[in-house]
């Protein structure tokens, strides 16, 4: 807890009666309502910040996972290209030979699908 003042309650007896008093104590069992409310607000803000940080980290992890998936697909595509006799494929060979780069992925994927 932050700068919350804590108090203890004591009942004191004296000849002729008793009286009750609250004394400020470092480890007291009581706090002022205003201090309690301020601490609850502080803790809620801290929790909200931690939750936002966790959500941001999760979103970043998901984005990195999507990037990894895309890279994995490209790696599979080009490993297949490296290891297959693509020159025998009538649709794929001219795309590669003529450097029609915009068509490579679609044509390679189609050729990969033929081998499955």
């Amino acid at each position: 807890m932050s700068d919350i003042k804590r108090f203890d309650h004591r009942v004191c007896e004296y000849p002729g009666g008793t009286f009750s008093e609250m004394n400020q104590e470092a480890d007291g069992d009581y706090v002022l309502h205003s201090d309690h409310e301020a601490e609850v607000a502080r803790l809620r803000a801290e929790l909200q910040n931690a939750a936002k940080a966790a959500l941001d980290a999760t979103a970043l992890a998901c984005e990195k996972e999507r990037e990894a998936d895309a890279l994995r697909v490209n790696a599979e595509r080009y490993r297949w290209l490296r290891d297959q006799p693509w020159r025998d494929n009538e649709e794929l060979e001219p795309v590669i030979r003529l450097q029609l780069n915009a068509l490579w992925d679609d044509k390679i994927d189609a050729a990969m699908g033929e081998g499955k």
Side-chain angles (χ1 to χ4, degrees), residues 1 36-49:
M1 292 170 96
H36 169 76
E37 291 295 313
E39 182 67 3
V40 167
R42 185 189 71 76
L43 290 171
R44 282 186 177 143
E46 186 178 311
L47 179 61
Q48 186 174 15
N49 289 340

Side-chain angles (χ1 to χ4, degrees), residues 24-115:
Q24 189 171 339
E25 301 285 339
D27 61 347
D29 293 331
Y30 300 93
V31 297
L32 295 175
H33 183 263
S34 58
D35 286 347
H36 169 76
E37 291 295 313
E39 182 67 3
V40 167
R42 185 189 71 76
L43 290 171
R44 282 186 177 143
E46 186 178 311
L47 179 61
Q48 186 174 15
N49 289 340
K52 183 183 180 320
L55 287 173
D56 289 346
T58 300
L60 180 61
C62 289
E63 180 182 330
K64 295 299 180 189
E65 186 65 30
R66 284 189 297 274
E67 283 179 26
D69 288 344
L71 291 171
R72 194 173 297 109
V73 167
N74 277 337
E76 290 170 3
R77 183 180 292 131
Y78 292 102
R79 255 186 248 111
W80 180 89
L81 185 61
R82 176 194 68 198
D83 297 339
Q84 296 300 312
W86 54 267
R87 287 176 184 82
D88 298 338
N89 186 303
E90 291 179 12
E91 289 193 34
L92 183 57
E93 189 276 334
V95 169
I96 295 173
R97 183 174 41 81
L98 298 173
Q99 294 291 303
L100 302 173
N101 295 346
L103 302 175
W104 278 42
D105 290 349
D106 291 338
K107 294 297 182 179
I108 294 169
D109 289 345
M112 287 172 66
E114 291 172 6

